[in-house]
Amino acid sequence: MRSICRWFAVIATWSIVTSAQADIISVNPGASLQAAINSALDGDVIEVTAGEFNENINFLGKAITVVGVGPTTVLRGTGAGPVVTFASGESDDSILDSVTVTGGQAQRGGGIFISAASPTIIRTVITKNRASQQGSGVHIENSSTARLYNNLLIYNFTSGGDPHS
């Protein structure tokens, strides 16, 4: 019985130690948000300050949280592809929270493109993105089960395909 209790104590200690290792990474305007994502490990939180970030980002399958301060944290796409991509098996632990996603242009998913992934998107404004086929604001495909809560999709435009995207 003592050895069982020791194993539970070891497992509980290991769980506390591993969960305590998550980092908070701060990103300010002028710095690369994608570079922060590239260096992040599962469980890390990337805090994005107010301002514009002119780049497309890809979560790269990581279970991280990218959180802004609200609509004044602007992820402005380059106009070449989706602004935010989840296409590497991301789970609901891959979280985009409290940002504005704008300026994307792609065939599908000008603002946010989700394929074979299940991210969580919360309190995000998705606006002024374009798609030539489907999903100007958000496009979800390949058995994805994305969770979208309290978002605003407005003024996105699809030039072909589904006019209700």
Side-chain angles (χ1 to χ4, degrees), residues 1 6 47 49 51 55 63 70 76 78 94 101 107-108 130-132 139 143 146 150-152:
M1 185 68 166
R6 284 185 193 142
E47 292 181 341
T49 62
E55 61 184 312
R76 183 174 304 283
T78 64
S94 299
V101 174
Q107 286 184 327
R108 295 180 310 275
R130 300 177 67 90
S132 61
H139 180 75
S143 300
N150 299 320
N151 299 293
L152 175 63

Side-chain angles (χ1 to χ4, degrees), residues 120-132:
T120 302
I121 302 166
I122 311 167
R123 295 179 291 263
T124 292
V125 177
I126 304 161
T127 186
K128 298 180 185 172
N129 298 287
R130 300 177 67 90
S132 61

Side-chain angles (χ1 to χ4, degrees), residues 75-163:
L75 308 183
R76 183 174 304 283
T78 64
V83 181
V84 181
T85 299
F86 297 96
S88 300
E90 290 87 356
S91 72
D92 59 348
D93 291 328
S94 299
I95 301 169
L96 180 65
D97 185 2
S98 300
V99 299
T100 294
V101 174
T102 190
Q105 187 166 342
Q107 286 184 327
R108 295 180 310 275
I112 300 175
F113 178 77
I114 302 167
S115 180
S118 302
T120 302
I121 302 166
I122 311 167
R123 295 179 291 263
T124 292
V125 177
I126 304 161
T127 186
K128 298 180 185 172
N129 298 287
R130 300 177 67 90
S132 61
Q133 292 180 3
Q134 297 173 319
S136 55
V138 178
H139 180 75
I140 303 171
E141 67 180 23
N142 292 331
S143 300
S144 298
T145 56
R147 290 150 182 83
L148 286 87
Y149 303 109
N150 299 320
N151 299 293
L152 175 63
L153 283 89
I154 187 168
Y155 303 123
N156 297 288
F157 180 74
T158 302
S159 60
D162 183 2

Side-chain angles (χ1 to χ4, degrees), residues 2-41:
R2 279 190 166 169
S3 63
I4 292 172
C5 290
R6 284 185 193 142
W7 278 110
F8 281 126
V10 168
I11 291 170
T13 302
W14 179 80
S15 296
I16 292 168
V17 169
T18 57
S19 65
Q21 293 176 353
D23 287 332
I24 296 175
I25 303 166
S26 294
V27 182
N28 297 307
S32 171
L33 179 53
Q34 186 63 55
I37 292 169
N38 293 348
S39 67
L41 301 174

